[in-house]
Amino acid sequence: MSRELKTGIVAVVIIGLLIWGYNFLKGQDLFKGDSRHFFVEYNSIQGLNEASLVTINGLQVGRVSKIKFNDKPDKRGGLLVRFTLENDFVFSKQSIVRIYSPSPLGGSNLAILPNYEGDNAVSGDTLKGEIESSLFTSIGERLDPIQQKLDEVLEGADSLLVGLNQVLDKKSRKSLNRSILGLEYTVSDVRKTLKGVNTILEDNQDNLAATLTNAKTITDNFSQVSKDLAQANLSETIKEFETTLANVNSLLSNIENGNGTLGKLMTDDKMYNNLTNASKEMEELLREMKLNPKRFVHFLSLEKRQNLLTKKTIKKILVINRT
């Protein structure tokens, strides 16, 4: 075999290996002609590229073979991804192909989320695609509202500073400086006052200690008094007081019902009228004795007349009580 033939064979082998390697990197294996291919549409591929891996439940089953713009008029600007499967795993057309990032710093891959309901997917079908939020995308979505609020706060702070600059003109700044100086003098006076108070406290430390001792003694005395009151038999005293009140209530009830002499006197109008008549007759008798004393002197002596008057009065009272 000549040297030229050997060189030609080596060149052909090298060219073949280059073609195979190029297609392998693109996800196409020239030695496997029975592979299936599918399509999926996206608006953004999130760093997906040709030769990215295709997995099912974490197992590599294929590669992305081609990415191009969508030719459909209604989906102009979208992207059409073609991937091949080297596995005969069966799934339905309802399955979802998701773009995900296996690591924050790595590229994106495709993951097939298999669905087994409906017709089985065949080579050339277009599957439904979705995009999984990456770590940075999720952080960005969370930071967007914060950034918006921060912008609003900065705008408010800027408006506030502008307003302060408008309010604090030269005259206002001088007035503010005077106020600050006055506040400084006030703080100095407060310090002097506190120093004087400290001096008074130091000079009267013994008196304060004696006052606190006396206060403690008074507190102990109050504590002892409260202890004595707690130990006193207040329950028996309260019971006796309740018994006395019950007796008083019973007495008042008897008086109200007309029981006894006092009750009859309070409720019986006849007794009241008799006593009233008796007092009137006694009054008339005394008046008659004052007006005509001679009518009573020649019959009885003064002592006998008084005794007789007393007996008659007592007799009348007894008769009234009996009635």
Side-chain angles (χ1 to χ4, degrees), residues 173-232:
R173 286 195 292 270
K174 289 182 179 179
S175 177
L176 183 60
N177 291 331
R178 288 195 298 269
S179 300
I180 294 174
L181 290 175
L183 181 61
E184 184 177 358
Y185 294 148
T186 303
V187 172
S188 178
D189 293 339
V190 170
R191 289 178 179 175
K192 292 179 181 178
T193 303
L194 291 176
K195 186 177 180 180
V197 171
N198 291 330
T199 303
I200 293 172
L201 291 176
E202 290 176 358
D203 294 339
N204 296 276
Q205 187 173 3
D206 296 336
N207 295 331
L208 288 175
T211 302
L212 293 176
T213 303
N214 294 332
K216 185 177 183 302
T217 303
I218 293 171
T219 304
D220 294 338
N221 293 334
F222 274 117
S223 176
Q224 185 64 33
V225 170
S226 62
K227 183 177 180 181
D228 295 338
L229 288 175
Q231 294 178 354

Side-chain angles (χ1 to χ4, degrees), residues 94-291:
Q94 305 297 327
S95 301
I96 298 174
V97 182
R98 176 181 296 171
I99 297 178
Y100 74 98
S101 297
S103 64
L105 300 179
S108 297
N109 293 332
L110 291 182
I112 299 176
L113 306 180
N115 191 328
Y116 307 104
E117 298 179 357
D119 298 333
N120 292 334
V122 295
S123 181
D125 287 342
T126 301
L127 303 178
K128 182 179 179 181
E130 67 177 28
I131 301 175
E132 181 183 58
S133 298
S134 63
L135 176 61
F136 295 107
T137 303
S138 178
I139 293 174
E141 292 176 353
R142 294 177 182 272
L143 290 178
D144 286 340
I146 298 175
Q147 182 180 1
Q148 184 178 0
K149 293 181 179 179
L150 183 60
D151 292 338
E152 294 176 357
V153 172
L154 291 177
E155 290 178 0
D158 184 61
S159 301
L160 179 61
L161 291 175
V162 171
L164 286 175
N165 289 330
Q166 293 177 354
V167 172
L168 295 177
D169 53 4
K170 187 175 182 180
K171 184 177 180 181
S172 299
R173 286 195 292 270
K174 289 182 179 179
S175 177
L176 183 60
N177 291 331
R178 288 195 298 269
S179 300
I180 294 174
L181 290 175
L183 181 61
E184 184 177 358
Y185 294 148
T186 303
V187 172
S188 178
D189 293 339
V190 170
R191 289 178 179 175
K192 292 179 181 178
T193 303
L194 291 176
K195 186 177 180 180
V197 171
N198 291 330
T199 303
I200 293 172
L201 291 176
E202 290 176 358
D203 294 339
N204 296 276
Q205 187 173 3
D206 296 336
N207 295 331
L208 288 175
T211 302
L212 293 176
T213 303
N214 294 332
K216 185 177 183 302
T217 303
I218 293 171
T219 304
D220 294 338
N221 293 334
F222 274 117
S223 176
Q224 185 64 33
V225 170
S226 62
K227 183 177 180 181
D228 295 338
L229 288 175
Q231 294 178 354
N233 195 1
L234 295 178
S235 59
E236 294 295 332
T237 304
I238 293 172
K239 288 181 179 179
E240 293 178 358
F241 184 68
E242 289 178 351
T243 303
T244 303
L245 288 178
N247 294 331
V248 172
N249 290 331
S250 177
L251 179 60
L252 293 176
S253 178
N254 290 331
I255 292 173
E256 184 178 359
N257 295 327
N259 298 328
T261 303
L262 186 58
K264 290 180 180 180
L265 181 61
M266 296 293 292
T267 58
D268 193 353
D269 295 337
K270 187 176 179 181
M271 180 178 289
Y272 175 76
N273 293 331
N274 290 334
L275 288 174
T276 303
N277 294 329
S279 63
K280 288 182 179 180
E281 291 177 358
M282 185 177 292
E283 184 179 356
E284 292 176 356
L285 179 61
L286 292 174
R287 187 181 294 111
E288 183 67 22
M289 290 177 65
K290 289 180 180 179
L291 294 176

